[in-house]
Structures are given as C-alpha cells and as structure tokens.
Amino acid sequence: MGNTITLTKDYGQEAYKASGLADGTVIDATAASWIIDNSILDGDGANAYPFRVYNSPNVTIEGGVMHGEVSLTEDWETLYYPKEGNGNSVAIRVESSPNAIIQDWKIDRAFDGIRIAEGTTDFLIQNMWVTDVRDDVIENDPAMGGTIRNSLFDGVFAGISTDGDVDGSMNTIKLDGVLMRMESYLYSRAGEGAVTHASPFKTDSGNPDFTPSFEIRNTVIAIENPEHESFGRLQIAWDNVTASENNVYLNLSDKPLPSNYPMPPKGFTILQGQAARDYWEDAKAEWIASHGDEASLPSLPEAEQPLPPEETPVPPPPSEEELPPPPSVEQPTFKGEKHTGKSAAETIIGNSLNNVIDGGDGNDVIKGAAGNDVIRGNEGTDSLWGGSGNDTFLFKRLSDSNDDYGFDTIMDFEQGHDVIDLSMIDASRQSSGDQAFSLAAGPTTTPGKIWFKYDQASNLTTVSANVDKDTDVEMMFHIKGQVALTASDFLL
C-alpha cells in the first residue's frame, strides 16, 4: 500500500511535479487549485504543465481544480506553436505510470485536458468535468489501453487522440458513461477565418492499422458542425469499434449530416437539430445534478467566450420518435474493496477498485465497475454486471441459482476477459471428496456435468448443471445473449 500525499494550497502559476512515488501512492489534491497558462503575453508568466506525474505505478491522482487562461478566441495555429510567447500545454500529464487513476478533477480552458504519455498502460480516467478545451480533451498519442468513464467533456475542439505514430492495435480503449460535446473554434488550417472543430476521435490517419480497439457504452457524443474536420480519422475509429451499446450521437446543428459523413456503428441512436440539442441539455443536466453543487466551475469572462457558430436555418419540428433516456450516472454504493448485501432486494454499484461483492439474499441488481471484480449474487433472482475489467462471476453453492432459490442472469459476460467460477461446488454427490465439473456437449444425467443452450426468443444462453444421477437439474443460470461457451470460460 502506498503513501498519501495531500495537497491543499492554491498553487497559482506554480507547477507540481512528482516522480518515483511508491507503488499505490494516492495524491489527494481535492483542496488544491492551479492556473493553466500557455502564454507569457498576459504579463504573469506561463504555467503550461501545472501537474505532472512520472514513474509512479498504481498512482491515484484525485483533484482538484484547474483554472485555465488559454485563449478561446485566438487561432489554433497560434496557440499550438511557440510563437510570440504561446505554446502547447496540458492540464495533467502522466507518464510511465501503469494503472494510474485520474479522477474527480475540474478543468477549464486548457489547451489539452489530460495527456497519457508513454508507459501509462491500463489507465482509468473517471468522474471528470472538463470544459472549453482548445485541442484534445484526452491526448493518448502512445495509444495506451485504458478506461474513460462517468465524465463530462463539454466544449472541446478535439476528442480522444491516439495520433502518435505508435502501434496500439493490441490495446483497447473503453468509454462508459461519457458525455462529450465538440465545439467550434478559430482554425485557420481549414481556411482563412474558418471556425470549426475536429473529430471526436483523432486517430493516426497515416497508420490506420495502429489504431486501438474501442468499446463504447452508455455514451453521448455531440458535434456542433456536421462538416467538421477529419472525417477520415473518425471513420478509422468507427472501423475499430468492437463493442457498442446504448449510445447516442447528436448533430446539434440544423444542417443535416452530409452524405459522406462517417456514420457511427450499430449501438448508436442518431439525433439531429432541436431533438439533439434538447437531448444534450437533459443529459448534461442529469450529470451535473448527480455530482452536486460542488462540481460547478467558474464562468468565463465575457471577452473570452468562444466564437459563435454560423447561423443556421429555423429548426424543423422535432421528431416524435421515442428517444432513449440519457445514460444514467451511477454512483458507487460503498467504499473499499468488499461489500456484502442485505437479506432484501437491493441495487449494489461497485467502485473503481477490485471489488468482492456478495449480494446476500434477495432479488438483487449488482453492477461492477472498472476493477477486476468478483461478483456473487447469492440466493435470489439476481442480475449481475461485471462492468469493465476482467471479472469473476462466483457461484459457491447450488442454491446460488436454481429453481428453489431463483435464477441469476449474467448481463455482460465477455469471453476472454470474464470467467464463471464453479470451483467451490462439489460436482458429484455420487463420489466422495470434492469433484470438479466438466463441460458436456448437451443435456446429460451423468453427475458432474454442465452444459449450455441458447434460446433465441429470450436471447439467453442457459447453463445447467447435474450433480447426481436423476434427470433433474440441480443448478441453472442464464447469460444475456448468445455465447458459445468453452472450458476456458469457467473455473471448474
């Protein structure tokens, strides 16, 4: 277990840098603040890299407020290159720190929001509120694998960047519960006086085979300009989406998406015009309400408001099509790693740690989060989610899921990542000792066998187990969807 470093002051233009911290160190900056400033022209110096952490495995970086002074009206070209005292900058930079957790920060008016640098594998970014970013909200140019969840990115020029000429094709970036709105700024590269934004995903267009995989769930992506830059980069991202569900893509403009626009994959609902604007405002309001009044950021000076977009035609009447509700933001039920439920129906939400959750009795809903969780429904009819990470669904007794006590359903089983643990159950009452199950090709009365069958009508794969010689099934549980199970999906 690492140390805790507590930061409490207003650092202003003073930068904070930490390197070589003990494994598992927590940097608690919840009572601290900084100024992000990439220009010396304002007379008070520059603070282009206010918060940097290096060579610190399993570090948790908890904030904290970043008050930005990056211009919202200057041309992107002027801000990026070190001309006349300006230069590239980032609010938080983390390098060579595998399994880093960056959470609970409020960042306003930065050039780049968060920079994941080389060696920061399996990162977790969560519970972030980032507004008015002139370039990438998350610059992950080494294409590291990691998770971005439960965050609001509001008013960003570019979204998530993996544009670093680095082969990240073996990695996966997961988005879950992310709200991201693209905003147009002055960008002369698109033409003299052009006001536009880049793609929600900034992939390496020169090396499309280097692109990591993307898993996108419960996420809202909003674009302001349907003719924005980097259609090709966006198409590369869509081509590498391997999982997508309950997402919404919003065209906030009344100009329809052009015929050559890279359309998002299956798992996205597309809304345009007033319906899209209403949806964004509702989703944003719900996120802010769930994080409380303390999440508010200071308003911007009137002179530094972003440039307005071009006027658009009068919006058409909103569609009467039934819209999906904004993805809900679920807060953890408990702190720490372990939790045991009550003997009644309840909903249990995990946190970012490697949780061990036992639902206890009752018809429970259990949802793991970003860690490698062990989840047991126990008695009752339970719905189980592992969330991201490599999760274990544990059944300790036959009564954890059978006809007498209620059947459990695993809602998000991911082959190659998750496993089902039956190793604590004696697979045969006909033999002495503790026997292990084995996978059979179909229903059988042989003790110690499990088998599975998919039912298209219910869209459930049902796993059954027999521990004696009669024809009755002593244990049964369900998996959402059609899953061709193998022995490697189990601990038997």
Side-chain angles (χ1 to χ4, degrees), residues 303-319:
E304 279 290 349
Q305 294 295 330
L307 295 173
E310 297 179 4
E311 291 189 6
T312 54
V314 176
S319 169

Side-chain angles (χ1 to χ4, degrees), residues 286-343:
E286 180 178 336
W287 191 95
I288 294 172
S290 72
H291 286 72
D293 294 339
E294 70 276 5
S296 60
L297 284 166
S299 59
L300 305 182
E302 185 65 29
E304 279 290 349
Q305 294 295 330
L307 295 173
E310 297 179 4
E311 291 189 6
T312 54
V314 176
S319 169
E320 295 182 359
E321 178 184 359
E322 182 178 354
L323 304 180
S328 60
V329 179
E330 296 178 308
Q331 298 300 308
T333 304
F334 59 93
K335 296 181 179 180
E337 294 183 350
K338 296 184 178 181
H339 180 81
T340 300
K342 304 172 184 177
S343 58

Side-chain angles (χ1 to χ4, degrees), residues 21-27 51-62 92-103 105 114-126 128 144-149 352-353 370:
L21 300 177
D23 191 333
T25 293
V26 175
I27 303 176
F51 200 100
R52 290 171 288 173
V53 176
Y54 299 85
N55 302 311
S56 300
N58 298 297
V59 65
T60 296
I61 303 167
E62 187 166 352
I92 299 172
R93 176 188 172 98
V94 184
E95 183 172 341
S96 300
S97 301
N99 303 303
I101 299 174
I102 306 167
Q103 62 186 15
W105 284 85
I114 303 164
R115 189 168 295 170
I116 300 295
E118 293 80 0
T120 306
T121 54
D122 298 318
F123 64 86
L124 171 62
I125 297 170
Q126 63 179 358
M128 305 289 287
M144 299 283 101
T147 299
I148 307 162
R149 65 181 299 272
S352 61
L353 302 176

Side-chain angles (χ1 to χ4, degrees), residues 88 191 275 387:
N88 193 357

